Amino acid sequence: MNRLASVLGGERVNRGKLSLNELAAELYSRGFSHIIIVDRKHGNPSRLRLYKIPGGYLGYITIHGIRRLKPRFGKIDYIKVVPSSEATEFLGEFLKEFNRPGRIGTVIEDNRGRITFRIRGKPYGIQFSRLRVHRERGLFFTRS
């Protein structure tokens, strides 16, 4: 998941034994406004749970295929999402606050059921395939 964090311009954090409220409070105090929790099944990523701080649970995306691409390390200045499917629209809504001017962009595009992250036109990091979106509202974080 280091590759996912690098293409989104984020940081990988181990949850450990923290509850979601404790994790949200810790990350909020460190300046984070979004959380993506990656669930695993048989050792492979199977679901991305999306949260906003404050705000709460937005829903999740199930992953049925994953492919590692060339790693990309460094700071991402802006993210451009091409909304061509339900999964890319959902990610676009989640990531819309990250769009700020800069020199390197990440484009998330849906190509035959896959989401590919591109930097300067080249695929980097990670590619997801056969995604399903499950939007939900509920579980809201409180400040401790």
Side-chain angles (χ1 to χ4, degrees):
M1 290 298 91
N2 288 330
R3 292 173 193 236
L4 179 62
S6 71
V7 296
L8 293 178
E11 185 178 317
R12 182 176 182 253
V13 177
N14 285 331
R15 178 177 164 193
K17 294 183 179 185
L18 294 176
S19 71
L20 288 176
N21 280 334
E22 291 169 338
L23 178 66
E26 168 69 24
L27 293 175
Y28 187 72
S29 70
R30 291 172 51 186
F32 289 92
S33 61
H34 293 68
I35 300 174
I36 300 176
I37 295 181
V38 180
D39 294 325
R40 293 180 297 176
K41 185 175 185 178
H42 304 295
N44 296 315
S46 63
R47 181 170 64 172
L48 303 175
R49 290 188 283 157
L50 309 176
Y51 297 85
K52 282 193 178 182
I53 310 169
Y57 186 50
L58 300 175
Y60 64 93
I61 300 173
T62 56
I63 305 165
H64 296 286
I66 192 164
R67 182 176 149 207
R68 287 185 285 161
L69 303 172
K70 184 177 179 180
R72 168 69 183 157
F73 299 100
K75 202 74 168 161
I76 300 300
D77 293 323
Y78 70 92
I79 298 171
K80 178 182 176 188
V81 178
V82 178
S84 56
S85 71
E86 187 179 11
T88 53
E89 287 176 17
F90 188 46
L91 281 172
E93 291 169 18
F94 180 71
L95 298 171
K96 68 183 171 189
E97 290 134 22
F98 291 103
N99 293 333
R100 53 190 184 270
R103 56 183 209 291
I104 299 174
T106 299
V107 176
I108 303 169
E109 64 181 20
D110 190 0
N111 183 6
R112 287 179 254 160
R114 296 182 299 232
I115 289 183
T116 305
F117 301 89
R118 294 182 178 271
I119 298 174
R120 294 186 182 140
K122 297 179 182 178
Y124 279 100
I126 200 161
Q127 182 181 71
F128 298 117
S129 59
R130 298 187 316 266
L131 303 173
R132 280 179 88 175
V133 173
H134 306 271
R135 295 175 187 257
E136 294 183 26
R137 296 273 179 195
L139 183 64
F140 287 89
F141 296 118
T142 58
R143 292 187 187 171
S144 307

